[in-house]
Amino acid sequence: MAEKLALKKYLQIKLKLLSADLKQLIKDNRSVTMSLSKIEKLLSDPAYIDLLSEHLAKPSLENHFWANADYPKNDKHPENLTHSTVGGLFVRSKSESLIAIALSENNIPFRYENIMSINGIKIAPDFTIMHPLTGKIFLWEHFGLIQNNDYYKEFANKIRVYTEGNFILGNNLIATFESKDSPLNYCTINNIITQYLT
């Protein structure tokens, strides 16, 4: 019963968002923003994520096998994997949880912290994503502490390594950023997914 009520609440909000036609979007972007904000709030609650998990992740069979195949995972600091998301996956931040949920909601297969090697350097992007239609591989890095100087150096180094491996910002490398004053939100995540992955 709780699962059905959670699904009903989620679908009511989603329906309101989807039913806004182009004219309404142009005229009143506030209602869309409010609906996205409500979905973000709903999906920030681990109890709702658990109840909705089965309904949010329904990729095609081929994409499902790719996403769930055995792959080398980052095993550093497993104690930081504290934020639940779909399918029992735990990630390192609320923002990463929102990204994982949005990818699943859009049936976009992904791997979390899949270790790869670029010119002998092992690196684990936050998300390795297979475009659901083209099969093109994208990487998505979320930089959540960009105001921290040490973190900024790590960001610059990662971008350099990715570029050497032909993962280019704006092409097949997605980067999102946030600070305490400017957190990543569900609306931004969905705009990125629309731009790159649908």
Side-chain angles (χ1 to χ4, degrees):
M1 179 62 100
E3 181 182 338
K4 288 180 181 177
L5 288 172
L7 182 60
K8 179 181 177 184
K9 183 172 184 176
Y10 169 78
L11 290 175
Q12 284 174 333
I13 297 169
K14 193 70 174 175
L15 183 61
K16 185 175 180 182
L17 179 63
L18 294 174
S19 66
D21 62 13
L22 186 56
K23 288 180 185 175
Q24 187 179 1
L25 279 173
I26 293 167
K27 280 184 183 177
D28 186 16
N29 199 22
R30 250 185 55 227
S31 66
V32 175
T33 304
M34 284 174 54
S35 293
L36 284 170
S37 178
K38 286 179 183 177
I39 287 178
E40 180 175 346
K41 186 176 179 183
L42 186 75
L43 296 178
S44 295
D45 184 337
Y48 273 108
I49 293 171
D50 189 44
L51 290 168
L52 295 171
S53 184
E54 184 181 321
H55 302 283
L56 294 175
K58 303 245 184 220
S60 74
L61 195 57
E62 180 183 339
N63 294 345
H64 174 79
F65 283 127
W66 178 85
N68 292 296
D70 195 26
Y71 62 89
K73 298 175 179 86
N74 182 7
D75 59 1
K76 292 181 182 175
H77 305 289
E79 69 278 6
N80 293 336
L81 297 169
T82 58
H83 297 270
S84 64
T85 187
V86 294
L89 176 67
F90 282 84
V91 296
R92 299 179 191 277
S93 72
K94 176 186 169 189
S95 295
E96 287 183 351
S97 177
L98 289 174
I99 293 168
I101 290 166
L103 289 170
S104 294
E105 184 180 42
N106 286 282
N107 296 318
I108 298 170
F110 68 90
R111 296 175 175 178
Y112 182 69
E113 293 191 343
N114 180 26
I115 295 177
M116 55 192 302
S117 180
I118 298 176
N119 296 331
I121 298 170
K122 290 194 187 259
I123 194 162
D126 294 329
F127 298 93
T128 304
I129 301 163
M130 179 190 287
H131 191 290
L133 301 176
T134 66
K136 181 178 177 179
I137 298 297
F138 287 77
L139 303 181
W140 188 329
E141 279 285 358
H142 177 65
F143 299 99
L145 300 170
I146 200 65
Q147 71 275 7
N148 179 308
N149 282 338
D150 292 335
Y151 195 85
Y152 181 78
K153 290 175 187 173
E154 181 185 337
F155 150 72
N157 186 50
K158 277 187 174 181
I159 296 300
R160 181 189 55 77
V161 171
Y162 289 139
T163 301
E164 290 172 1
N166 291 318
F167 288 98
I168 310 298
L169 276 169
N171 179 15
N172 55 357
L173 175 60
I174 301 165
T176 47
F177 306 88
E178 71 180 326
S179 65
K180 289 180 183 178
D181 297 331
S182 182
L184 184 66
N185 62 54
Y186 196 69
C187 184
T188 300
I189 293 166
N190 276 289
N191 288 340
I192 290 168
I193 288 173
T194 299
Q195 180 181 354
Y196 289 97
L197 301 168
T198 58

